[in-house]
Amino acid sequence: MRQVVLDTETTGFEHEDGHRIIEVGCIELNDRQSTGRTFHEYINPERDLPRESVEIHGLTNDFLDDKPRFAEIADDLIEFIRDSELIMHNASFDVGHLNAEFARLDDGIRTENIAEILDTLKLAQGMHPGQRNSLDALCKRYEVDNSNRTLHGALLDAELLAEVYLLMTGGQVSLGLDLMSPASGSASGNYQFDASKLQVRRASAEEIALHEQRLKQIQQASGETGCLWLEQTKAH
């Protein structure tokens, strides 16, 4: 399965107010492994950058002045994301800005028509209700090193999101690490499992409390049938 993890940086939050994309970064995954292919472009937004946005990403008018316009990189971007599952954090933001840029080209392209959309913010909110689910918060929760993220950057954030997504959905600990390695000298293609690379993650007090609350709700809804999980929890 081909997936593309995408992030953008922009001149501001609302594309309806004329804000533009100034950076786009993409990481390609195939069958949950990095292929090594990336797409990364800085983009001249054809407008001034507000001071508050410069403080977020560090990109300036002078730096972007000689960079290509979105129209000049659009075909390559479309080709890179086409027919993929497009993974974004707070996808409505990125899709909104991408579609606003595509609309300026007047070619009828819309992001959701050329790729499937997976929003990791909604995924995280379902997995961790009531908790902070920003990219930084998820990096901390899943122990992904984001110490280099002093400023926002599209390609760096796409790399971090790729690692977070893989951990959220299957436990892979890094883009370059495969816990199942071929047995040395094995002609049959069998695999050996290296348990030393596993990480033990214990539930926090808050997560345990939320779990117990959910079990009690199941108990109340079950009536006389009861909740076996809750009974097992009390037994231990």
Side-chain angles (χ1 to χ4, degrees), residues 126-141:
M127 295 175 64
H128 310 289
Q131 301 183 54
R132 294 180 63 248
N133 288 301
S134 66
L135 181 56
D136 281 334
L138 291 173
C139 284
K140 182 177 181 180
R141 184 172 302 139

Side-chain angles (χ1 to χ4, degrees), residues 2-130:
R2 182 173 181 269
Q3 298 170 300
V4 173
V5 186
L6 180 147
D7 187 69
T8 63
E9 297 298 331
T10 65
T11 62
F13 289 108
E14 302 296 337
H15 62 83
E16 295 93 340
D17 295 335
H19 285 295
R20 304 288 301 272
I21 293 176
I22 57 175
E23 184 185 8
V24 59
C26 301
I27 306 291
E28 183 184 60
L29 306 177
N30 191 35
D31 293 334
R32 297 179 56 83
Q33 297 289 325
S34 171
T35 66
R37 291 186 66 219
T38 63
F39 180 93
H40 182 225
E41 288 283 355
Y42 293 107
I43 300 166
N44 185 331
E46 304 178 83
R47 56 156 292 165
D48 287 337
L49 277 73
R51 177 179 53 82
E52 55 270 24
S53 74
V54 175
E55 292 175 352
I56 294 173
H57 45 64
L59 303 178
T60 64
N61 288 301
D62 287 344
F63 176 78
L64 296 172
D65 185 58
D66 64 348
K67 302 302 183 289
R69 276 61 173 172
F70 187 87
E72 298 173 63
I73 63 95
D75 287 345
D76 289 339
L77 174 61
I78 291 168
E79 182 64 25
F80 195 89
I81 68 176
R82 188 186 294 277
D83 298 328
S84 70
E85 182 178 55
L86 201 53
I87 300 170
M88 295 167 284
H89 199 67
N90 191 15
S92 61
F93 175 86
D94 297 294
V95 170
H97 278 277
L98 286 169
N99 284 344
E101 296 288 357
F102 291 144
R104 292 184 180 94
L105 304 179
D106 196 27
D107 59 4
I109 290 287
R110 289 184 63 84
T111 310
E112 56 270 37
N113 292 338
I114 61 174
E116 296 183 21
I117 307 297
L118 189 154
D119 189 347
T120 52
L121 177 59
K122 291 182 178 179
L123 180 65
Q125 288 170 339
M127 295 175 64
H128 310 289

